[in-house]
Amino acid sequence: VSDSEHPTSAPIVLIHSGAGGRTEDLLTRGEDYRAALAATIARARAALEAGGDAVAAVLAAVTFMEDDVDLFNAGRGSVLCRDGTVEMSAGLMRGADRAAGAVANLRTTRRPIHAAQAVLIDSPHVLLAGPAADAFAERAGLEQCPVDYFVTERQQQRLAQGSGDFVGGTVGAVCLDGQGGLAAATSTGGRPGQWPGRVGDTPSIGAGTWADDRVAVSCTGDGEAFIRSGASRRLALDVSRGTAVEEAGAAALADVAAAGGTGGLIAVTSSGEVTLAFTTAAMGRVLWRAGSEPEIWVAD
Ligand code: ASP
């Protein structure tokens, strides 16, 4: 039984681990990626089972992926800027009231998505950037680490190889919870070899991250093109006008292509429609509907 004010629905969680090429790494370490994605969805599920809402579920998922040093481009192990430093960004949005929090170009905060949550809860602002954002996160009680902590040998080698192509690994999650609440979260180290100071789509609300009372969206790919096409907000506007989410997702990615970019996105609507779409060769992703086993894709 449900009433219109507090409808009950079976929760749905979608996760992505970045759109990119079918890299050697993805192909040889497919089982590691699969296990990490399975463990990630288990965290989101546990958060919901413990009584958490959609925000708690997406935070649990993204935090777990940020903590993985080896596989994902978020938190420690992020890709490097062209000067060899790490700059991390994250965005979080709650659908019910469109509350949003985001951080850009963090260098010392261990878990950027928690800093985005702190901006959402504890500040009058939507986006904080740079050293002041790290200082804000520290004041909010979030763990700080030396800048070198985030730099891994694997990413130093990748930078030395000189590939500026984005390789995937940005992480994101969207959730529809049992009360009909929606939330989206995305976290990234940006693009390999980016200029220090560059801000991508991930913390840009309405570009890489969006949630309202009808749909939650998390994007990955060529950030500049996602910003120039307002990708996630565009998808949401189409959904609000009655377009099916799959069609709205395809249209958003077509607009990204028109802006010269490729990538992918995940989205879930308040009525439980989903899309997991990409225009790259691969996008790690998971779809879990309460009552079913998670479906996991790694290298396609
Ligand atoms: N969208 C991210 C950025 O441009 C990168 C990615 O998704 O791989 O910062």
Side-chain angles (χ1 to χ4, degrees):
V1 184
S2 66
D3 65 65
S4 53
E5 255 182 86
H6 300 287
T8 53
S9 48
I12 297 172
V13 179
L14 311 184
I15 288 166
H16 72 73
S17 59
R22 298 182 82 226
T23 57
E24 187 66 26
D25 188 53
L26 213 52
L27 296 174
T28 54
R29 301 185 63 194
E31 282 316 307
D32 293 346
Y33 280 98
R34 179 171 292 276
L37 290 173
T40 303
I41 206 80
R43 296 302 165 116
R45 211 168 150 167
L48 291 169
E49 281 161 9
D53 62 1
V55 171
V58 297
L59 280 171
V62 168
T63 303
F64 186 74
M65 290 194 279
E66 283 181 345
D67 278 351
D68 190 302
V69 177
D70 229 17
L71 300 177
F72 305 121
N73 172 20
R76 181 166 188 231
S78 284
V79 301
L80 306 184
C81 298
R82 65 180 183 178
D83 65 353
T85 59
V86 165
E87 293 195 346
M88 301 165 288
S89 298
L92 172 70
M93 193 163 182
R94 178 169 64 209
D97 56 357
R98 295 198 194 177
V103 284
N105 307 3
L106 298 184
R107 299 188 66 181
T108 58
T109 302
R110 178 162 177 205
R111 297 194 175 96
I113 197 64
H114 285 191
Q117 181 193 25
V119 172
L120 188 154
I121 295 173
D122 291 331
S123 87
H125 304 302
V126 165
L127 172 60
L128 294 180
D134 278 316
F136 167 79
E138 185 170 20
R139 287 198 302 279
L142 299 181
E143 187 178 346
Q144 302 294 303
C145 301
V147 291
D148 288 347
Y149 165 84
F150 297 93
V151 178
T152 61
E153 213 173 293
R154 175 172 179 255
Q155 296 296 356
Q156 283 176 324
Q157 282 166 6
R158 183 174 277 169
L159 185 69
Q161 283 157 12
S163 166
D165 293 342
F166 72 95
V167 287
T170 288
V171 301
V174 295
C175 176
L176 170 68
D177 66 27
Q179 281 67 49
L182 289 160
T186 319
S187 183
T188 189
R191 300 192 52 153
Q194 67 189 0
W195 293 12
R198 177 254 185 190
V199 178
D201 59 317
T202 300
S204 304
I205 297 300
T209 306
W210 178 264
D212 57 27
D213 57 352
R214 288 168 198 262
V215 67
V217 192
S218 172
C219 302
T220 167
D222 291 307
E224 281 71 8
F226 279 78
I227 293 172
R228 289 168 59 226
S229 57
S232 59
R233 176 69 172 135
R234 189 219 137 100
L235 184 157
L237 275 176
D238 278 356
V239 167
S240 76
R241 292 177 184 135
T243 306
V245 72
E246 208 169 321
E247 207 180 307
L253 290 178
D255 232 14
V256 168
T262 59
L265 53 85
I266 53 173
V268 60
T269 69
S270 52
S271 57
E273 283 181 67
V274 302
T275 189
L276 304 95
F278 52 102
T279 54
T280 51
M283 181 175 79
R285 62 203 187 281
V286 186
L287 162 61
W288 175 69
R289 291 179 188 271
S292 318
E293 284 306 305
E295 291 179 71
I296 303 175
W297 298 265
V298 172
D300 57 356

